[in-house]
Amino acid sequence: MHPFVLERPRDLSAALSFGAQAGRNDAPVEYIAGGTDMVQLLQEYVRRPDRLVSLAGVLDDGIEIGSQGLRLGAAATMAEVATHQAVVERFPLISQALLNSASPQVRNQATMGGNLLQRTRCPYFRDVGYEACNKRAPGSGCAALDGENRWHAVLGTSDDCIAVHPSDLAVALVALDASVEIRGAGGDRSVPLSDLHRLPRDTPHLETVLEPGEVITAITVPANAAGLRSHYLKVRDRASFEFAVVAAAVAIEMDGARIRQARVALGGVGTKPWRLPNVEAALAGAEFEPAALRQAAALAAEGTQGRGHNDFKIELMQRAIVRAVEIAGARA
């Protein structure tokens, strides 16, 4: 592990002052909260900060539900949110996504903000023995393009990176039109979660729109997302503690035997959480029957690009959408 200084600021303002130094000099400064991903990255020499700033005790960990919707403090743990009665009852898609993530031990430690900012599980990124990784070493190439790419993305890729985004939670939140509250030296701002993560293009090392020193302070979900019939379907290689091969987050409103509105997002297939407005438009007003669902889900394939080993994901994600909509629609 690269040697670093651990800072324990007394409050968020002090933490931000440390973080702001990341933009003023060449000495890397990074934040750590629950640490479930960061510690692995430190141990694997993927991240080599000279200074690590702890956010323990300085971020909000509250869970609030009111007339405006749901507000989750960035320091709330995955376990706390997943089992919160009001979240389970009014925003079950979030609870389902969290319970399908990681392990109980990790969920007890990992924070909501950290989950959104976790790094890809691409083995070429995680193993510094591979020199070609534009996300880790800009300009070095992408070993996954012609390598073992079964786990990689088929949506939002570029010639510089095909690493898949790993968060289940982010997929559910994108489907529910969530936003993140961000604080930095320049003040507070709110960003739709769908805009938080960048497409790789030719700068895959820039993964989010966060400026140096900024932190996520809260996640908000609008009230109109409550009460929708929803389901989070995760296809993976084993039943627990595994990242998605394909995941579908679906929330629908029914009008008799027809779908009045639908929200659909995919995980495991995109370089960022992937919302599907074309599929949603096709589902709106459609009859709740298999042929109509399959026809709408087929639109998810638009713009996909397989790389050989991951070609199967293009068909699998369509089937996942259909199955998730069927399960959601059958809920009372």
Side-chain angles (χ1 to χ4, degrees):
M1 185 181 295
H2 179 75
F4 59 85
V5 174
L6 178 64
E7 302 286 359
R8 297 181 181 273
R10 64 186 182 279
D11 54 31
L12 185 54
S13 295
L16 293 175
S17 67
F18 284 120
Q21 297 175 26
R24 295 201 300 266
N25 55 54
D26 295 329
V29 177
E30 297 200 45
Y31 292 118
I32 185 170
T36 55
D37 188 33
M38 177 59 80
V39 170
Q40 295 179 47
L41 296 171
L42 293 171
Q43 292 173 332
E44 295 163 356
Y45 284 89
V46 177
R47 308 306 301 160
R48 302 184 182 191
D50 291 332
R51 175 175 289 173
L52 200 59
V53 181
S54 173
L55 297 176
V58 303
L59 286 176
D60 181 15
D61 63 357
I63 303 173
E64 304 171 8
I65 295 185
S67 59
Q68 299 300 310
L70 173 66
R71 186 181 188 279
L72 304 169
T77 67
M78 295 170 64
E80 290 168 342
V81 176
T83 58
H84 191 281
Q85 184 175 353
V87 175
V88 173
E89 292 176 354
R90 297 185 59 188
F91 299 91
L93 191 64
I94 296 174
S95 177
Q96 293 165 16
L98 289 169
L99 292 175
N100 273 285
S101 304
S103 67
Q105 294 87 347
V106 170
R107 293 195 295 268
N108 284 335
Q109 178 71 17
T111 64
M112 297 294 284
N115 182 279
L116 299 181
L117 298 177
Q118 65 182 291
R119 308 300 295 276
T120 181
R121 259 54 192 184
C122 171
Y124 300 107
F125 169 77
R126 293 268 168 175
D127 187 345
V128 296
Y130 293 101
E131 294 183 1
C133 176
N134 289 318
K135 190 176 285 290
R136 176 166 34 83
S140 62
C142 176
L145 290 175
D146 298 313
E148 174 56 58
N149 50 45
R150 176 180 182 272
W151 309 278
H152 290 74
V154 296
L155 286 165
T157 61
S158 73
D159 291 337
D160 289 295
C161 185
I162 59 172
V164 76
H165 181 81
S167 173
D168 291 295
L169 170 66
V171 177
L173 291 174
V174 163
L176 298 178
D177 292 324
S179 296
V180 288
E181 296 177 0
I182 296 170
R183 182 173 298 176
D188 297 335
R189 62 189 179 113
S190 179
V191 174
L193 193 58
S194 57
D195 295 334
L196 175 64
H197 299 95
R198 299 172 183 260
L199 291 173
R201 296 191 172 93
D202 59 354
T203 55
H205 60 291
L206 301 176
E207 297 185 355
T208 73
V209 298
L210 292 178
E211 298 292 338
E214 286 188 323
V215 299
I216 294 174
T217 56
I219 301 164
T220 59
V221 185
N224 60 14
L228 296 175
R229 302 185 189 188
S230 61
H231 186 68
Y232 190 81
L233 179 68
K234 183 174 182 177
V235 181
R236 47 190 168 177
D237 290 334
R238 60 185 181 188
S240 66
F241 205 3
E242 184 62 281
F243 292 89
V245 175
V246 171
V250 168
I252 62 175
E253 180 183 1
M254 297 295 297
D255 182 9
R258 290 184 177 273
I259 299 172
R260 176 175 294 171
Q261 65 158 308
R263 305 179 186 192
V264 183
L266 292 176
V269 297
T271 54
K272 59 182 286 186
W274 206 264
R275 187 80 178 259
L276 293 167
N278 56 344
V279 174
E280 295 173 354
L283 286 172
E287 291 188 12
F288 190 73
E289 55 90 19
L293 301 186
R294 288 194 297 268
Q295 183 177 5
L299 298 175
E302 293 182 357
T304 56
Q305 182 178 9
R307 295 284 180 170
H309 298 133
N310 64 354
D311 290 349
F312 72 96
K313 288 190 175 187
I314 298 172
E315 173 65 24
L316 182 57
M317 69 190 199
Q318 298 172 53
R319 297 186 179 207
I321 292 169
V322 171
R323 184 61 179 144
V325 173
E326 287 176 338
I327 294 173
R331 297 186 186 278

